[in-house]
C-alpha cells in the first residue's frame, strides 16, 4: 500500500476528468435521446450579457452530421432514462429492460462546457425520463441549466424539454435559463395518447404549452413597455410528435400541428417517424420508419407556415394521408389544375406561392425583378426553380404551356420517381467499399 | 486600359473610389490579385501610376446601398479572378442609371455576385461549424488550437465570431493561407500553417465519438444528406468521421437486434375476459388466464372474493406462497396482519371485497423454498384488465390500495406510500381511492415499535375507508 491511500472510499474522483463511468452513461443517455427529432439551435437573437463562454446569434449551427442525415447541433442527452411512466412507444418506459443510467448535474455541466470549448456543439438539449415526480424531475433539469448560466456564465444555447405536469413555477424557472422550451405532444391525437401513453394527458400537455406561451407574451409586452425584464425562452417553444406508431392519418396530424401553431405560437413542430425500438410493445409496427412520410409531413408543415396553405387543402387522398409519390404542393397543383397556368409576371404573391417548384425566396425575387423587366424562362432557371415541375404550371414572357398538357391525366406520372430509399443493405455495401 | 491591383476589400474599395471619381468605365480597367501576375495583355502600370482624382476639392459623392458594400466584403473573400471586375461593373452600373440593379437578381452580373456571396457565406458557416479546437496545456495555461481548411479566404470574416463565442479562452485557428490568434484582448492575424503544426489529438475526442455514435439512429440511414451538408473536404479535421464506416457496417446488425428484441404483451388478460360481467364468469375465466408468463409456474389463479355489493374494495399486490396453494387472497401471514388491523377497526373481512393487482404467485426457488418475487410492470399491466373488470362489477365507493404496486396501478405512477398515504384521491376508477401500507411491509419491519406504528396507521386508514363507505352507520 502506498502513502497516498486515504481512508476515503470510494476515492474522490479527480475534478473535471471524464471518467469511464461518464462514457458509459453518455452512451446510454445519448442513445436514449436519439429518437428525438428536434435539434435546432436557432431563434435566440442575442447572446446573454456577461457570458464568458458561448454565444447565440440567431442562426443555429450544425456542427456535425450523422449517417442518418441528421444534424448534430446540441449535446442531446437525457438526464436519466429511468422513468415511472409506461408509454408504449418509448424505449425508456418503466416496463422496458433497457440499461439505465443517471447523470449528475456536474457531469452534464462538465460535458457541455468541455464539448463547447472544442466547438463540437452549440449548447445543450436536455430531456429526461420522469423520476419521482414531474416536479422533482423538472427541478433537477432546471438546476443543470441554472448552474451553466450562473456558475459558468454560459451563453450558449440551452433547450429544456419541459415535463408535463410540472408546476407553473418550475416552468417559469426553466424559461429563465433556457433559450427554448418544448413540451412533447408525443402523439398526434388525444385518442392516440390514451391508447399508447395513458399516463400522459392531453390537457396537461396543452396547459404547459399555454403557460409557456403566456410567459413569453408577458415578456414581450413588458419589454415593449420599456421594462428591463429577464429573458424568457427567447427562442420560443417547440414540440414533437411520433408518427406512424398509430394509424392516425396525416390530415389529423397536420390539423393538430396547425392548431399548435395558431393557439400556442409554436416555433416548430417536429415529426419523428416511429423507429422500431428494443422491447417495443408488440402492438407497434416492427419495421423501419416511414421516412418518406416524415419528409412529406415536414414539406406540408412548411406549406402551412410559409405558403398560406390549409391542412384540409393539402390532404386530398381518399385515405386522408399525404401522397408519398409527389410533394404536397405538386399534389395540390395536380388536384387543382383549373388554377393554372399562373403568369409569373402578373399573378399576386399568394398565387405565385402555389406554383410547384417555386419557393418563397424565389417568389420574393420574382416580385422585385418584374418591376424592372418581364421574366422569361431563363430568369426562372437562374432563380433555380425546379423547372421540370414548374414548366407545366407557369406562363412567362416567352413560355406558355399548352393546356392540353396540363389536362393530361398522366401528367402526374412525369413527376413520380421510383421511390427508392437507401436500404440498410446499400449502406452496408457502401460502408465496406468506403464509398459514401 | 489600366491594370489595378486589388487583393482585399479595402484595397478594392479605395481603388474604386478613385476610378469612379475619374469616371473610368469598367471597360477601361483590368483588376488583378496581387498574387496573380498581370498577363501580357494587361497594362504594365499599377495603381500608383493612376492619375490623381479629377477634382480633389469637391469629391464626388456616390450613394451605394450598405447591403452592397456588406456583400462586396464577403465576395472579396472569394477566390474567383473575375470578382473585382464584376463588383466594379455592378458599382458602375448602379451609379450610372441603374440604382436598383441589385433587385434584378437574374441580371448576369448580379447573379454571378449573388452566387459568389452565397458560396462565401456557406464556407464561413462551415468554418463556424467545423473548426475543432484541441486543448494544449502549457505552463502559461490552457490554449485551444484548431486547424481548418476553408475553401476561400474567410479567416478575417469569421474570426470576430470566434472572439464573441470564446472570449475567455486563448485560441488559435490555423488555415493554409492565414492564421488568427485570440489572446483574450484582441485578434492577431498571422501567416498560414500546415496541418502538422496543429496538435494531433484531444482527450475529449473519444467521448465526442461516443456521443456521435450513440446519437445516430441506425434505423434511418440518409448518407446523401450527410455528405451534402458535411462535405468530405472537411472530414480529415473532424474526429468523429473516423467511425462512420464502423457505424454503417454495424447498422444492419443494430437494427436487426432492435427488431428481434421487440417483445411485449403478445397477450394480456384482455384476451381472456368473459362476454358477461358477473362474478362467477370473471372468476371462471380468470382461472384459465394466460395473459402473461406467470401462470406457468403458479399453482392456480387467486381471484378476488367478497360481497360484490360491498362498496369497499381492498386491492393488494400479488398472492403469496400460501394463497397460491389455497387459492384465496390474504390467507397467509400478511392476511393475518390485515385481519388484525381490521379487528382494530371492528370490520369483519366478509363485508369487504378483497383482491390483488396480479392474480398469480411469482417466486424464485431457493432450495425448496418458494421466495416471493415482485411482479414487474409488464406483468402488472398484463393483469390489469382483471382488476378493472372487478372494479366495474363491484362499483366500490372506496378503494384501498395496499402497497405501492396496487396504488401505482390504480392511483398513478407517482404514488409513494411514504408521501401520499392516507389521503383519499379521486381517480378514474373511484371517488375515494386511498393508498396505504401493504401488510407484508409491516411484517418485514425489523423494529417492533415501527411495526406497531405502521399497523396503527393501516388500521386508521381502513377506519377512514370504512367511514367514507358508510360502514357502521
Amino acid at each position: 500500500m502506498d502513502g497516498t491511500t486515504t481512508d476515503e472510499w470510494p476515492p474522490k474522483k479527480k475534478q473535471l476528468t471524464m471518467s469511464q463511468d461518464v462514457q458509459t452513461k453518455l452512451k446510454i443517455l445519448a442513445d436514449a435521446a436519439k429518437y428525438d427529432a428536434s435539434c435546432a439551435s436557432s431563434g435566440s437573437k442575442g447572446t446573454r450579457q456577461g457570458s464568458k463562454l458561448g454565444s447565440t446569434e440567431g442562426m443555429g449551427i450544425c456542427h456535425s452530421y450523422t449517417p442518418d442525415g441528421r444534424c448534430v447541433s446540441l449535446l442531446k442527452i437525457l438526464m436519466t432514462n429511468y422513468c415511472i411512466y409506461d408509454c408504449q412507444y418509448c424505449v425508456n418506459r418503466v416496463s422496458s429492460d433497457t440499461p439505465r443510467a443517471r447523470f449528475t448535474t456536474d457531469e452534464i455541466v462538465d460535458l457541455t462546457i468541455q464539448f463547447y470549448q472544442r466547438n463540437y456543439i452549440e449548447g445543450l438539449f436536455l430531456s429526461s425520463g420522469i423520476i419521482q415526480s414531474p416536479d422533482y424531475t423538472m427541478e433537477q433539469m432546471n438546476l443543470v441549466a441554472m448552474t451553466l448560466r450562473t456558475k459558468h456564465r454560459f451563453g450558449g444555447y440551452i433547450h429544456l424539454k419541459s415535463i408535463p405536469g410540472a408546476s407553473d413555477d418550475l416552468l417559469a424557472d426553466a424559461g429563465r435559463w433556457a433559450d427554448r422550451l418544448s413540451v412533447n405532444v408525443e402523439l398526434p391525437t388525444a385518442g392516440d395518447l390514451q391508447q399508447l401513453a395513458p399516463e400522459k394527458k392531453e390537457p396537461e400537455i396543452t396547459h404547459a404549452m399555454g403557460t409557456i406561451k403566456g410567459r413569453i407574451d408577458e415578456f414581450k409586452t413588458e419589454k415593449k413597455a420599456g421594462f428591463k425584464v429577464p429573458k424568457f425562452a427567447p427562442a420560443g417553444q417547440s414540440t414533437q410528435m411520433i408518427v406512424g406508431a398509430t394509424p392516425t392519418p396525416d390530415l389529423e396530424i397536420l390539423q393538430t400541428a396547425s392548431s399548435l401553431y395558431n393557439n400556442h405560437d409554436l416555433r416548430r413542430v417536429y415529426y419523428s417517424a416511429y423507429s422500431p425500438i428494443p422491447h417495443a410493445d408488440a402492438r407497434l409496427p416492427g419495421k423501419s420508419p416511414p421516412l418518406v412520410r416524415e419528409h412529406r409531413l415536414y414539406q406540408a408543415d412548411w406549406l402551412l407556415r410559409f405558403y398560406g396553405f390549409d391542412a384540409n387543402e393539402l390532404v386530398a387522398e381518399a385515405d386522408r394521408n399525404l401522397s408519398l409519390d409527389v410533394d404536397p404542393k405538386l399534389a395540390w397543383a395536380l388536384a387543382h389544375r383549373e388554377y393554372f397556368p399562373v403568369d409569373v409576371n402578373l399573378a399576386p404573391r399568394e398565387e405565385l406561392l402555389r406554383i410547384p417548384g417555386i419557393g418563397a425566396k424565389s417568389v420574393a425575387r420574382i416580385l422585385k425583378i418584374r418591376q424592372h423587366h418581364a421574366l422569361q424562362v431563363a430568369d426562372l432557371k437562374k432563380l433555380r426553380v425546379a423547372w421540370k415541375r414548374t414548366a407545366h404550371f407557369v406562363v412567362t414572357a416567352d413560355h406558355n404551356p399548352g393546356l392540353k398538357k396540363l389536362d393530361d391525366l398522366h401528367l402526374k406520372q412525369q413527376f413520380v420517381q421510383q421511390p427508392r430509399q437507401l436500404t440498410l443493405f446499400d449502406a452496408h455495401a457502401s460502408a465496406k467499399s468506403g464509398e459514401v | 486600359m489600366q491594370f489595378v491591383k486589388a487583393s482585399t476589400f479595402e484595397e478594392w474599395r479605395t481603388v474604386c473610389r478613385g476610378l469612379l471619381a475619374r469616371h473610368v468605365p469598367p471597360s477601361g480597367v483590368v483588376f488583378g490579385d496581387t498574387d496573380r501576375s498581370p498577363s501580357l495583355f494587361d497594362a504594365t502600370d499599377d495603381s500608383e501610376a493612376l492619375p490623381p482624382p479629377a477634382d480633389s476639392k469637391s469629391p464626388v459623392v456616390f450613394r451605394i446601398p450598405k447591403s452592397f458594400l456588406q456583400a462586396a466584403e464577403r465576395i472579396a473573400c472569394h477566390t474567383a479572378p473575375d470578382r473585382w471586375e464584376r463588383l466594379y461593373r455592378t458599382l458602375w452600373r448602379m451609379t450610372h442609371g441603374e440604382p436598383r440593379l441589385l433587385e434584378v437578381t437574374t441580371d448576369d452580373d448580379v447573379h454571378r455576385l449573388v452566387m459568389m456571396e452565397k458560396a462565401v457565406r456557406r464556407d464561413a458557416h462551415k468554418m463556424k461549424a467545423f473548426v475543432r479546437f484541441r486543448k494544449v496545456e502549457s505552463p502559461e495555461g490552457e490554449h485551444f488550437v484548431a486547424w481548418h481548411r476553408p475553401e476561400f479566404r474567410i479567416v478575417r470574416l469569421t474570426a470576430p465570431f470566434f472572439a464573441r463565442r470564446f472570449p475567455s479562452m486563448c485560441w488559435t485557428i490555423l488555415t493554409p493561407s492565414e492564421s488568427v490568434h485570440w489572446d483574450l484582448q484582441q485578434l492577431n492575424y498571422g501567416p498560414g500553417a500546415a496541418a502538422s503544426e496543429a496538435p494531433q489529438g484531444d482527450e475529449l475526442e473519444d467521448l465526442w465519438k461516443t456521443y456521435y455514435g450513440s446519437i445516430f439512429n441506425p434505423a434511418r440511414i440518409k448518407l446523401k444528406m450527410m455528405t451534402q451538408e458535411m462535405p468530405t473536404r472537411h472530414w480529415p479535421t473532424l474526429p468523429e468521421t473516423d467511425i462512420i464506416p464502423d457505424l454503417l457496417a454495424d447498422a444492419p446488425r443494430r437494427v436487426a437486434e432492435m427488431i428481434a428484441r421487440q417483445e411485449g404483451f403478445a397477450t394480456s388478460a384482455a384476451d381472456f375476459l368473459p362476454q358477461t360481467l358477473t362474478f362467477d364468469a370473471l372468476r371462471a375465466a380468470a382461472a384459465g388466464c394466460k395473459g402473461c408468463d406467470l401462470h406457468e409456474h403458479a399453482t392456480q389463479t387467486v381471484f378476488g372474493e367478497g360481497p360484490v355489493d360491498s362498496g369497499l374494495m381492498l386491492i393488494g399486490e400479488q398472492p403469496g406462497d400460501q394463497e397460491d396453494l389455497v387459492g384465496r387472497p390474504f390467507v397467509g401471514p400478511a392476511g393475518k396482519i390485515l385481519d388484525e388491523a381490521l379487528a382494530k377497526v371492528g370490520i369483519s373481512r366478509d363485508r369487504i371485497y378483497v383482491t390483488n393487482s396480479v392474480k398469480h404467485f411469482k417466486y424464485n426457488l431457493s432450495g425448496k423454498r418458494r421466495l416471493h418475487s415482485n411482479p414487474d410492470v409488464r406483468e402488472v399491466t398484463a393483469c390489469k384488465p382483471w382488476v378493472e373488470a372487478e372494479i366495474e362489477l363491484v362499483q366500490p365507493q372506496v378503494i384501498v390500495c395496499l402497497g405501492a404496486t396496487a396504488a401505482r396501478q390504480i392511483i398513478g405512477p407517482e404514488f409513494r406510500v411514504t408521501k401520499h398515504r392516507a389521503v383519499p384521491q379521486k381517480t378514474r376508477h373511484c371517488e375515494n381511492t386511498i393508498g396505504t401500507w401493504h401488510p407484508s411491509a409491516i411484517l418485514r419491519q425489523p423494529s417492533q415499535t415501527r411495526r406497531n406504528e405502521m399497523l396503527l396507521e393501516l388500521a386508521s386508514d381502513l377506519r377512514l375507508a370504512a367511514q367514507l363507505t358508510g360502514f357502521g352507520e
Side-chain angles (χ1 to χ4, degrees):
Chain A
M1 211 173 261
D2 63 27
T4 57
T5 314
T6 63
D7 291 342
E8 237 174 298
W9 189 261
K12 249 192 190 159
K13 278 174 197 154
K14 210 179 129 204
Q15 277 284 300
L16 284 182
T17 49
M18 294 294 172
S19 62
Q20 194 66 38
D21 188 33
V22 168
Q23 183 145 1
T24 312
K25 288 184 186 178
L26 183 61
K27 206 168 178 177
I28 294 171
L29 294 170
D31 188 273
K34 72 171 182 266
Y35 306 99
D36 204 306
S38 47
C39 69
S41 54
S42 52
S44 226
K45 291 209 175 61
T47 302
R48 283 164 199 262
Q49 282 200 336
S51 297
K52 272 171 62 185
L53 176 72
S55 58
T56 53
E57 307 195 348
M59 195 167 42
I61 297 176
C62 297
H63 287 265
S64 194
Y65 290 82
T66 49
D68 54 17
R70 293 196 297 179
C71 129
V72 180
S73 177
L74 302 165
L75 171 61
K76 181 159 63 174
I77 46 171
L78 264 58
M79 182 175 75
T80 176
N81 65 340
Y82 288 101
C83 189
I84 55 173
Y85 287 164
D86 200 33
C87 304
Q88 300 307 309
Y89 54 81
C90 180
V91 66
N92 302 317
R93 65 205 178 97
V94 63
S95 56
S96 156
D97 57 8
T98 192
R100 306 278 175 170
R102 179 179 174 178
F103 274 131
T104 65
T105 303
D106 286 347
E107 284 165 346
I108 300 173
V109 168
D110 285 350
L111 268 177
T112 309
I113 297 285
Q114 302 238 33
F115 276 5
Y116 201 93
Q117 286 181 325
R118 270 81 177 172
N119 202 38
Y120 295 160
I121 51 169
E122 285 290 286
L124 173 68
F125 176 165
L126 190 61
S127 179
S128 184
I130 296 169
I131 39 171
Q132 292 193 26
S133 69
D135 274 354
Y136 173 79
T137 313
M138 194 76 237
E139 248 170 52
Q140 294 297 307
M141 291 169 75
N142 286 352
L143 183 63
V144 171
M146 188 191 76
T147 310
L148 278 167
R149 293 287 191 225
T150 56
K151 193 171 155 197
H152 298 271
R153 300 241 154 254
F154 178 67
Y157 198 88
I158 299 181
H159 179 154
L160 291 182
K161 177 123 304 183
S162 324
I163 306 295
S167 75
D168 289 0
D169 285 350
L170 287 167
L171 279 183
D173 211 23
R176 220 176 124 196
W177 311 121
D179 291 278
R180 174 168 284 182
L181 294 178
S182 60
V183 188
N184 279 0
V185 299
E186 309 288 7
L187 294 161
T189 67
D192 294 339
L193 263 187
Q194 175 59 34
Q195 189 193 336
L196 292 181
E199 288 135 350
K200 293 202 176 152
K201 308 217 165 48
E202 200 254 353
E204 258 177 16
I205 293 165
T206 40
H207 173 82
M209 284 181 177
T211 307
I212 296 169
K213 178 188 183 294
R215 289 277 179 165
I216 294 174
D217 290 348
E218 199 180 296
F219 167 77
K220 283 183 189 156
T221 322
E222 289 192 11
K223 204 172 173 207
K224 234 184 212 161
F227 293 106
K228 249 196 128 183
V229 274
K231 286 189 176 196
F232 188 91
Q237 63 169 326
S238 64
T239 192
Q240 167 175 279
M241 58 175 105
I242 289 160
V243 171
T246 55
T248 300
D250 293 340
L251 178 59
E252 285 179 44
I253 293 170
L254 292 172
Q255 281 166 343
T256 298
S258 288
S259 89
L260 291 171
Y261 286 128
N262 295 332
N263 304 335
H264 295 284
D265 281 350
L266 256 70
R267 292 285 178 92
R268 282 295 299 273
V269 173
Y270 288 94
Y271 308 91
S272 174
Y274 170 75
S275 284
I277 48 172
H279 305 291
D281 188 282
R283 278 172 288 184
L284 296 172
K287 57 183 182 205
S288 284
L291 294 187
V292 179
R293 185 180 178 199
E294 185 188 282
H295 182 55
R296 294 281 181 251
L297 280 167
Y298 277 115
Q299 289 176 320
D301 182 274
W302 204 258
L303 295 177
L304 293 181
R305 288 188 291 150
F306 304 114
Y307 289 75
F309 279 90
D310 184 83
N312 293 300
E313 287 182 290
L314 286 173
V315 182
E317 306 280 312
D319 65 358
R320 304 198 302 154
N321 279 311
L322 292 165
S323 164
L324 292 179
D325 300 341
V326 293
D327 71 74
K329 200 182 186 187
L330 181 56
W332 180 85
L334 288 168
H336 294 87
R337 300 188 201 190
E338 73 287 352
Y339 194 91
F340 297 99
V342 168
D343 188 336
V344 291
N345 288 303
L346 297 172
R349 188 170 174 275
E350 313 74 80
E351 280 179 35
L352 295 179
L353 283 171
R354 299 214 160 204
I355 305 171
I358 299 190
K361 264 191 190 158
S362 294
V363 167
R365 288 183 174 154
I366 288 169
L367 289 170
K368 281 199 170 153
I369 295 167
R370 73 188 193 184
Q371 295 173 14
H372 299 272
H373 66 77
L375 283 109
Q376 305 199 336
V377 175
D379 290 297
L380 292 184
K381 285 188 174 169
K382 266 190 187 164
L383 289 176
R384 298 243 175 130
V385 308
W387 182 246
K388 265 192 190 165
R389 252 174 293 159
T390 306
H392 305 283
F393 300 96
V394 290
V395 171
T396 69
D398 60 345
H399 167 85
N400 195 350
L403 284 179
K404 201 175 148 220
K405 185 87 194 188
L406 194 52
D407 291 336
D408 184 351
L409 287 174
H410 302 294
L411 181 56
K412 183 177 176 184
Q413 295 316 311
Q414 287 209 0
F415 307 115
V416 179
Q417 287 178 342
Q418 272 314 309
R420 192 178 159 275
Q421 196 172 314
L422 198 64
T423 63
L424 291 166
F425 183 75
D426 293 331
H428 185 61
S430 65
K432 275 198 159 166
S433 67
E435 175 198 327
V436 281
Chain B
M1 179 77 67
Q2 294 175 7
F3 174 74
V4 170
K5 266 187 203 168
S7 60
T8 65
F9 171 69
E10 281 74 25
E11 257 178 60
W12 171 85
R13 189 176 172 163
T14 314
V15 158
C16 287
R17 267 205 199 108
L19 291 171
L20 280 180
R22 283 186 299 276
H23 306 290
V24 182
S27 57
V29 59
V30 175
F31 288 88
D33 275 284
T34 37
D35 51 7
R36 190 191 70 131
S37 39
S39 76
L40 268 182
F41 300 102
D42 292 334
T44 47
D45 53 354
D46 59 19
S47 53
E48 280 169 44
L50 280 175
D55 180 5
S56 51
K57 276 176 200 159
S58 57
V60 192
V61 178
F62 301 102
R63 296 220 160 270
I64 307 293
K66 208 174 158 193
S67 63
F68 176 74
L69 288 177
Q70 286 166 345
E73 198 173 350
R74 283 189 283 270
I75 292 162
C77 302
H78 205 285
T79 46
D82 65 333
R83 66 194 185 285
W84 303 121
E85 61 180 76
R86 291 273 183 191
L87 281 168
Y88 183 60
R89 190 156 59 231
T90 308
L91 192 60
W92 176 269
R93 290 173 63 193
M94 281 180 352
T95 52
H96 291 79
E98 297 176 80
R100 289 165 65 202
L101 176 62
L102 293 184
E103 290 180 3
V104 190
T105 34
T106 52
D107 174 90
D108 276 340
D109 284 330
V110 180
H111 183 247
R112 172 81 179 132
L113 291 180
V114 165
M115 297 314 279
M116 281 196 264
E117 193 203 353
K118 209 171 156 187
V120 171
R121 267 179 196 272
R122 182 178 153 90
D123 197 34
H125 187 74
K126 294 298 174 200
M127 178 162 172
K128 291 174 186 175
F130 297 146
V131 153
R132 292 279 191 270
F133 287 116
R134 285 169 163 170
K135 188 163 88 174
V136 186
E137 307 255 18
S138 74
E140 295 95 66
E142 291 176 348
H143 193 145
F144 293 84
V145 185
W147 191 82
H148 180 72
R149 190 164 67 98
E151 198 173 347
F152 305 117
R153 306 195 62 162
I154 51 170
V155 170
R156 282 166 195 265
L157 197 65
T158 50
F161 164 84
F162 288 99
R164 289 193 294 275
R165 171 154 291 192
F166 305 104
S168 59
M169 258 162 61
C170 276
W171 53 261
T172 299
I173 301 173
L174 307 169
T175 79
S177 61
E178 202 172 5
S179 62
V180 58
H181 172 71
W182 171 255
D183 58 7
L184 307 183
Q185 303 292 326
Q186 58 176 349
L187 292 165
N188 301 300
Y189 296 94
S196 56
E197 291 173 52
Q200 296 306 305
D202 187 292
E203 55 172 3
L204 257 283
E205 282 174 9
D206 274 346
L207 216 47
W208 174 239
K209 286 181 195 171
T210 301
Y211 174 66
Y212 180 79
S214 308
I215 201 70
F216 153 64
N217 185 349
R220 30 187 309 158
I221 304 246
K222 283 182 174 174
L223 289 181
K224 215 176 118 195
M225 182 76 177
M226 174 180 76
T227 41
Q228 187 182 315
E229 298 300 331
M230 189 164 68
T232 43
R233 64 177 282 118
H234 294 300
W235 285 29
T237 52
L238 303 174
E240 67 272 22
T241 54
D242 282 358
I243 62 169
I244 289 172
D246 290 344
L247 288 179
L248 290 175
D250 198 31
R253 186 199 60 77
R254 279 174 71 192
V255 175
E257 194 185 84
M258 279 158 89
I259 294 170
R261 280 165 71 203
Q262 189 148 300
E263 56 179 74
F265 319 124
T267 54
S268 83
D271 302 323
F272 298 87
L273 287 174
Q275 294 287 332
T276 49
L277 187 67
T278 66
F279 179 74
D280 290 339
L282 278 177
R283 192 188 161 87
C289 182
K290 293 176 181 172
C292 70
D293 294 340
L294 291 184
H295 69 93
E296 283 176 27
H297 305 289
T299 309
Q300 58 189 312
T301 301
V302 179
F303 204 69
E305 62 177 30
V308 169
D309 58 356
S310 164
L312 176 57
M313 186 164 173
L314 301 192
I315 305 177
E317 182 183 288
Q318 191 177 25
D321 184 66
Q322 292 190 36
E323 287 83 2
D324 173 72
L325 297 172
V326 177
R328 293 183 50 208
F330 285 102
V331 293
K336 297 219 163 55
I337 298 281
L338 178 63
D339 287 337
E340 214 178 301
L342 285 170
K344 283 187 194 292
V345 186
I347 321 169
S348 83
R349 169 95 81 93
D350 53 23
R351 290 186 65 190
I352 310 168
Y353 189 91
V354 179
T355 189
N356 278 311
S357 282
V358 175
K359 311 293 188 213
H360 280 118
F361 179 41
K362 183 181 181 183
Y363 58 88
N364 291 320
L365 269 183
S366 164
K368 278 188 179 172
R369 287 184 60 204
R370 303 196 299 174
L371 293 181
H372 168 90
S373 149
N374 282 327
D376 65 33
V377 182
R378 212 167 308 162
E379 288 146 3
V380 175
T381 314
C383 208
K384 197 171 176 183
W386 292 123
V387 169
E388 284 180 332
E390 285 175 291
I391 293 173
E392 206 183 324
L393 181 74
V394 176
Q395 304 264 338
Q397 289 160 269
V398 182
I399 294 179
V400 177
C401 299
L402 302 169
T405 299
R408 281 180 200 157
Q409 188 187 53
I410 303 298
I411 299 173
E414 291 145 36
F415 187 89
R416 298 285 175 281
V417 185
T418 42
K419 231 173 155 181
H420 305 114
R421 215 206 87 238
V423 185
Q425 297 185 53
K426 191 182 161 163
T427 61
R428 69 187 174 93
H429 300 289
C430 179
E431 278 297 310
N432 290 299
T433 314
I434 302 172
T436 184
W437 301 114
H438 192 282
S440 310
I442 299 175
L443 270 179
R444 281 196 301 270
Q445 286 304 315
S447 132
Q448 184 61 45
T449 335
R450 183 68 189 128
R451 231 183 285 172
N452 291 339
E453 237 172 65
M454 285 166 73
L455 184 63
L456 285 176
E457 286 173 351
L458 173 62
S460 135
D461 294 345
L462 289 170
R463 185 175 294 113
L464 174 66
Q467 280 163 1
L468 289 169
T469 318
F471 275 18
E473 277 169 17

